[in-house]
Each structure stands twice: as C-alpha cells, then as structure tokens.
Amino acid sequence: MLNRRKFLEKISAAGAVTLLPGIVKSMPVPAEAPDHDVAIPAVISTWSHGIPANEKAMEVMRGGGSVVDAVEQGVRIPEGDPDNRSVGLGGTPDRDGHVTLDASIMGSDGNAGAVCFLEHIIHPISVARLVMEKTPHVLLAGEGALQFALENGFEEHKLLTPETEKSWKEWVKESNYNPEVNWEDKPNEFHDTIGLLAMDENGDMAGACTTSGLGYKMRGRVGDSPIIGAGLFVDNEIGGATATGMGELVMKTLGSFLVVELMRQGRSPQQACKEAVERIVKKVPENKIRQVGFIAMNKKGETGAFCLQPGFNYALHQNDENKMIESKSYY
Ligand code: GLY
C-alpha cells in the first residue's frame, strides 16, 4: 500500500507530464481536507451491500487482477445475492412482474460499456464489460442485449424469486398499478443501486454500477445507472463518481459527469457531490420527496459523498479497513 506522501509525489510527477506536456503544473488542491487518511488501493461503493462488494474488489486487486476486474467482480456479489432486492437476481420487478436490469462499467482508458432493460441474466455488469471490450458500441438494450449475452455464453435464469413475486403481488393489490405511490415518504426504498469505484496501487481507476432500477417502475423504464455520465463516470486524470437513488433526477442533471467536472475545477470529492445535489435541488422540483446519493473518489484517493435525504450510507475500503459511513444530506 502506498502512503499518502509517496502517492501524492507520484501523481504530482505524473500529472505534470500528462496534463500539460512541457509545463509544470500541479494538480488542483482540494479546499476541504478528507476526514480520514488517504491511501491506495481504495474502493468505495453505495449502501451496505458495498461491504462484501468492496471486500471482493480489494481481494481481486491484491491478487493481481486489473482494476476493471476488481469493479466487475465486486458488484457481481450483490448481483448474485437472491436476498438483495435492488440488484440482479432477486431484484424488485417492474409493475408487470418483470425483472429488468441496467448496468454500466468504465475503465481507466476511458472506455465504457452498458446494458439496459436486460432480462433473464444474473450478471448484467459482465455483459456491460463485454459490450465495452468486444463491440464498437457503448450501450445495448433489451432484446438485443439479451441476444448478445446469450451469443457470448451467458445463461438465462428466472430472476424473480418466490419472495419478490410475493411482494410484487401484494404491491399490485395495494397500489392500483400506480408506480408513483412508492415514492411518497419512502425516499430510500425501491432503488438501492450499487455503484462502486476502485483505484489500484498505480492510481488507475475504474467504476461499475448495476441495478434492477426503481421498484415497480413502468415497463420499459430505464434509469441513470446504464447512462454514462449519469449513473457513472470515470476520468482517469481526475477521478470518478457514481449515483444511487431516483435515476430521473440524476439523468436530468447528468450527475456523475457533473461531479467529475467539478473535481476537475478543483473541488474535493465531498464538495463536488454536495454541489451536484444542490444542482438537483435547484433544477428538479421533485427533489423534496426523492432520494439521490453520490459518491466520488479523486486521483489522490480522497473520497466524498452527499445525498438529498438522510438515510444514505456508503462503504469505504481504505487503509486496511472496510467500513460504513453515513452520508451528509441536503435536507
Ligand atoms: N438509480 C437507479 C435507478 O433509478 O434506476
């Protein structure tokens, strides 16, 4: 593990060459110091399912895997957990009872891949990675994404479990087929996306984001998670950001891209996440009853988070400790 001083020396030298050849220019200095020691490798991810996902991502990097391997393998843990109601197998279905999945991945080379409205596949993140690595495209949707997955050896599974089927049938009775009833007074329910960012020992970053989306959504609805720049963005010169919560609010402000661009202008990850949430408050009237949370990591391995409503937390694996942190909120 690199300590903070050695790592900062390393990226200052690299930054001087990479950003402006011939001109010595130091990296932007964040105005707000992180409240924890900074070291790499580091992994940060949304919600408590981030703890086992971080653990796996760190294990992959320590075992010699690439940072893209790490983020993919990390988020496959909640994707494969039938008890996790917001990702992959066991994800909450749409209002017609279909589990439809969205995922995206970005590497340190700026390449990106994503799938949306994908059914019957437990690990959409691995299909997204194949889109990134084996096609000239970024996003495959629905039937086409499924066809691509099956052609590449993925198997079809039933993603609706007996438990999620029972909950859906109860929801249908209570809610009269209206997806909006879930949003009132329950800002933290029905959309616990996992977004995960990792930085390896060389300071290279990647990110992954995967979800079954808003619970009991309208059929065909796609959220922010597979939209590069909305649910996930990584720029290996600056840092990365990912989002959870009500995707529509994130899409209307291109939230993760905004966080990274604010970091590019010198904001700390914490300040950048806060300003992205403030942009939502300013621009999207529904902000008062919905949740959005951002997490971010910059090129120094500093991290931050901010959300609209109280109740969002995230997992940070850094300095040999994997722990939950409560995010500050706007309201
Ligand atoms: N953030 C996940 C979604 O809204 O689908």
Side-chain angles (χ1 to χ4, degrees):
M1 186 166 71
L2 292 182
N3 67 26
R4 179 183 167 87
R5 185 179 55 78
K6 281 196 189 134
F7 178 54
L8 290 181
E9 282 168 10
K10 189 174 158 148
I11 61 162
S12 307
V17 174
T18 317
L19 295 176
L20 281 175
I23 302 172
V24 177
K25 185 178 167 78
S26 59
M27 299 288 287
V29 177
E32 190 178 293
D35 59 6
H36 53 270
D37 197 14
V38 173
I40 56 168
V43 187
I44 184 171
S45 60
T46 55
W47 304 106
S48 59
H49 49 206
I51 290 285
N54 286 1
E55 207 59 58
K56 184 69 186 178
M58 196 58 91
E59 182 191 310
V60 169
M61 287 193 284
R62 292 203 165 125
S66 73
V67 70
V68 172
D69 294 336
V71 298
E72 178 196 4
Q73 293 299 320
V75 301
R76 278 174 63 103
I77 301 291
E79 280 185 341
D81 178 358
D83 296 327
N84 187 316
R85 297 289 183 97
S86 58
V87 186
L89 179 67
T92 301
D94 64 19
R95 64 182 184 174
D96 296 301
H98 305 281
V99 181
T100 68
L101 305 175
D102 300 335
S104 62
I105 191 162
M106 270 193 99
S108 44
D109 58 356
N111 207 359
V115 289
C116 67
F117 197 50
L118 176 62
E119 293 180 70
H120 314 305
I121 300 292
I122 293 176
H123 293 297
I125 196 64
S126 298
V127 186
R129 181 170 179 179
L130 277 188
V131 172
M132 174 171 81
E133 292 179 344
K134 290 202 163 169
T135 81
H137 307 305
V138 171
L139 175 61
L140 292 183
E143 283 292 319
L146 179 61
Q147 181 185 327
F148 173 72
L150 297 177
E151 283 168 2
N152 281 281
F154 287 79
E155 287 178 7
E156 287 187 88
H157 290 270
K158 185 176 178 186
L159 301 182
L160 197 66
T161 62
E163 292 74 25
T164 50
E165 188 164 9
K166 186 163 171 265
S167 304
W168 166 63
K169 285 183 174 157
E170 279 160 20
W171 176 86
V172 170
K173 266 189 260 161
E174 285 165 19
S175 60
N176 200 22
Y177 201 61
N178 178 1
E180 290 203 39
V181 294
N182 298 304
W183 304 346
E184 306 288 339
D185 304 324
K186 294 178 185 169
N188 289 305
E189 285 188 43
F190 303 112
H191 45 56
D192 299 351
T193 306
I194 182 155
L196 183 147
L197 306 165
M199 184 183 279
D200 67 17
E201 282 225 337
N202 299 318
D204 288 324
M205 288 191 74
C209 186
T210 175
T211 187
S212 50
L214 179 69
Y216 312 128
K217 60 198 173 188
M218 291 174 67
R219 180 142 176 85
R221 181 264 189 191
V222 169
D224 59 315
S225 305
I227 309 298
I228 298 299
L232 175 70
F233 197 70
V234 175
D235 180 331
N236 201 45
E237 284 184 6
I238 303 298
T242 184
T244 180
M246 191 73 186
E248 283 73 2
L249 282 65
V250 180
M251 292 157 92
K252 287 175 188 176
T253 53
L254 209 56
S256 294
F257 182 72
L258 177 60
V259 171
V260 172
E261 290 308 297
L262 288 166
M263 292 195 292
R264 191 189 306 276
Q265 292 166 25
R267 308 308 194 278
S268 69
Q270 179 68 29
Q271 287 172 318
C273 291
K274 183 164 180 278
E275 281 187 45
V277 166
E278 287 166 354
R279 182 74 59 90
I280 290 173
V281 171
K282 190 170 169 204
K283 299 281 182 187
V284 192
E286 305 94 300
N287 72 80
K288 291 188 184 62
I289 55 163
R290 312 280 154 75
Q291 176 64 299
V292 166
F294 291 108
I295 57 171
M297 187 190 299
N298 69 11
K299 201 57 187 161
K300 298 174 183 173
E302 295 167 345
T303 57
F306 205 77
C307 58
L308 272 171
Q309 317 288 342
F312 168 55
N313 54 20
Y314 61 100
L316 177 64
H317 200 326
Q318 198 164 37
N319 300 308
D320 293 322
E321 197 185 2
N322 191 14
K323 63 180 179 194
M324 290 305 300
I325 301 176
E326 202 65 30
S327 168
K328 290 184 182 150
S329 62
Y330 183 87
Y331 291 110

